[in-house]
Amino acid sequence: MLIIGLQFIAGRFHANPWGRNVNEGVPEWPPSPYRLLRAVYDTWKRKRADWPERRLEPILRKLASRPPVFQLPPARAAHTRSFLNQNERDPAKKSLIFDAFVVLDPEVRILAGWPDVMLEGHEQSDLAELLGLINYIGRSESWVKAAIVPGLGRDDWNSRPSVENAVDSANIESVPVACPSPPAEYESRPLLRKARGKKASATPISWLEALAWSTGELIGSRRTEPPAFRYVSYSRPTNCFNPLPRSTFAPRRRAVNGVLYALECKVPPLVTSTLDIAEQVRRRLMGIHRRLMNGDPAKVSHKFSGKDTDGKPLRGHRHSFFLPQDRDGDGWLDHVLLICVEGLDEGERRALDLLSSLYQRGGRPEIRCVPVLWGSIDELLKPAKHLFSATPFVPPRHYRKGRGEFTEWLVAELRREATSRGLPAIVRVSPLSRLGSDGHSFGWIEFRRNRKDDAAKPGYGFEIEFAEPTAPRCGPLALGYGAHFGLGQFRSIRD
């Protein structure tokens, strides 16, 4: 038995059923086999054009020999409405357009099974390769991961050709689904290509050509349906678009400890503005989260504010780090990493998702914040052993007489900060006088090094080596004063 799994990774399947107008607002469900076979054909032509026709046609002929059965997951039918301009001079003259789609869990798969189809070894590997190259099925928003699914003898198929179904009709509804004509059926009465010239005769169009019939060819031939096409009545559960409601606050399957934003701007901020950008990210997230909590400032996440319900600073570095970063080393900030050792709840993740822009002074354009990676501590942080300063380390305590020679005291402060975070022992420390980058060099004094009304203290740079690689569970490598706002960041030498 051949089983193909379709996983719509955006959680949406956009497709209009054959024979239905788009403005009827009815989505296709189940996905039509005719559409799937044409997607495989299109992928062959565009991405494996060097394969001869004889390599693919036997596979498609087997898939078209009979309609498959489906295992449909819980889903919802939805749509959007757009008023589109009709290229008229009157700007108010617009047409209402519906975009109907099916909403489903992006982590589940639709299964399509052909009980009597068996592919040879090379045929199965060729089909698996083409399925893996398909980007979408239906409209281009329907991003898909398609693959052959191993497994035999499934008995949970809930959508079948109606003639195969013998379930109580009260729980079943019938829908027409577009399917390819079986090759033998089509070839008994093939479509003829018009003869060109007085002595020429009409020639039959092959089944494979008919399967790939374009819309232009369909209109030009004045046909109502493409060749190698037929409707098959499928049964499906009457409640297929009415799954049981799921709690909004159900635990996620995957832990999320933070997000990495890409910063997009024609005039990006300099790396010396690290503290300014970090403070603005925190302020914006607190404002967004307060609005999500119906404007109650007492409910603003302590992971964003860094304070408890009494307004006192939290201890133990359990709240969020806001870390602007220059990942390509050109002297301009290009990313912001927000990470929290404690997992983020649904409301906090929603606030992170709504952060879209940051303000810049001096008439410079806004900075767009684009989330590029969500993940756990282990996904966002990697072990490191040999590092150098990316932003100045500012000692949290003041130096005074009686604390020994200044350089030794400074190194001791760095070691003390690392120990308090549970990091391995530092075995080597070398001072760095400046931050060097591609075409830029910054002195540590050029960075802003104070928050609010605090007095600005000197900052220092180091190259350090730990006795063993750091563990992601210890949190990001940011030490000293202002570590939660990007000061004291260390970057791996290999990065």
Side-chain angles (χ1 to χ4, degrees), residues 139-328:
R139 289 175 56 113
S140 59
E141 301 95 326
S142 307
W143 304 337
V144 72
K145 288 172 67 176
I148 295 177
V149 179
L152 297 173
R154 299 185 64 92
D155 57 0
D156 53 354
W157 308 107
N158 56 7
S159 182
R160 302 170 176 266
S162 297
V163 294
E164 298 182 12
N165 193 62
V167 185
D168 183 6
S169 60
N171 300 320
I172 293 295
E173 62 183 1
S174 181
V175 290
V177 176
C179 292
S181 298
E185 178 182 315
Y186 169 81
E187 289 165 353
S188 65
R189 298 182 62 184
L191 179 68
L192 299 179
R193 185 180 286 108
K194 289 184 179 180
R196 295 186 178 182
K198 294 181 179 180
K199 296 184 179 181
S201 58
T203 56
I205 295 174
S206 70
W207 175 83
L208 192 60
E209 288 180 282
L211 180 68
W213 200 257
S214 68
T215 302
E217 291 171 314
L218 180 63
I219 295 172
S221 65
R222 299 185 178 181
R223 295 173 59 91
T224 57
E225 295 176 359
F229 171 96
R230 62 171 178 159
Y231 284 113
V232 175
S233 292
Y234 266 77
S235 62
R236 70 183 186 190
T238 53
N239 63 344
C240 64
F241 290 139
N242 294 290
L244 293 175
R246 185 175 64 176
S247 171
T248 305
F249 300 100
R252 292 172 64 97
R253 300 177 185 175
R254 180 168 173 261
V256 175
N257 292 89
V259 60
L260 177 67
Y261 295 98
L263 302 182
E264 294 186 355
C265 185
K266 292 183 179 179
V267 186
L270 280 170
V271 68
T272 53
S273 303
T274 293
L275 192 56
D276 299 297
I277 296 299
E279 287 185 329
Q280 189 179 166
V281 171
R282 173 179 176 268
R283 284 197 304 271
R284 295 227 170 180
L285 284 174
M286 289 176 62
I288 294 170
H289 196 258
R290 182 173 64 250
R291 291 194 295 273
L292 293 175
M293 296 294 108
N294 298 318
D296 187 353
K299 294 183 178 180
V300 172
S301 170
H302 68 274
K303 297 171 192 172
F304 294 156
S305 67
K307 298 179 181 179
D308 60 19
T309 53
D310 297 326
K312 296 180 180 179
L314 297 176
R315 301 293 181 182
H317 301 283
R318 310 300 296 178
H319 52 296
S320 296
F321 287 81
F322 308 89
L323 305 177
Q325 297 177 339
D326 170 22
R327 290 204 160 199
D328 57 7

Side-chain angles (χ1 to χ4, degrees), residues 367-442:
I367 305 170
R368 290 185 61 236
C369 299
V370 182
V372 294
L373 178 63
W374 298 79
S376 63
I377 287 283
D378 292 329
E379 291 170 316
L380 294 171
L381 300 177
K382 301 301 178 186
K385 185 176 180 181
H386 193 184
L387 306 101
F388 67 92
S389 290
T391 57
F393 167 75
V394 178
R397 301 192 301 176
H398 291 280
Y399 172 75
R400 64 170 184 266
K401 291 183 179 181
R403 289 185 169 176
E405 196 271 329
F406 177 76
T407 303
E408 294 178 355
W409 170 82
L410 189 60
V411 172
E413 285 293 290
L414 181 64
R415 295 181 190 273
R416 187 179 68 85
E417 284 291 303
T419 301
S420 70
R421 294 280 296 280
L423 296 169
I426 297 177
V427 296
R428 185 173 66 83
V429 180
S430 302
L432 294 176
S433 59
R434 300 178 67 85
L435 172 65
S437 58
D438 294 343
H440 296 272
S441 180
F442 301 95

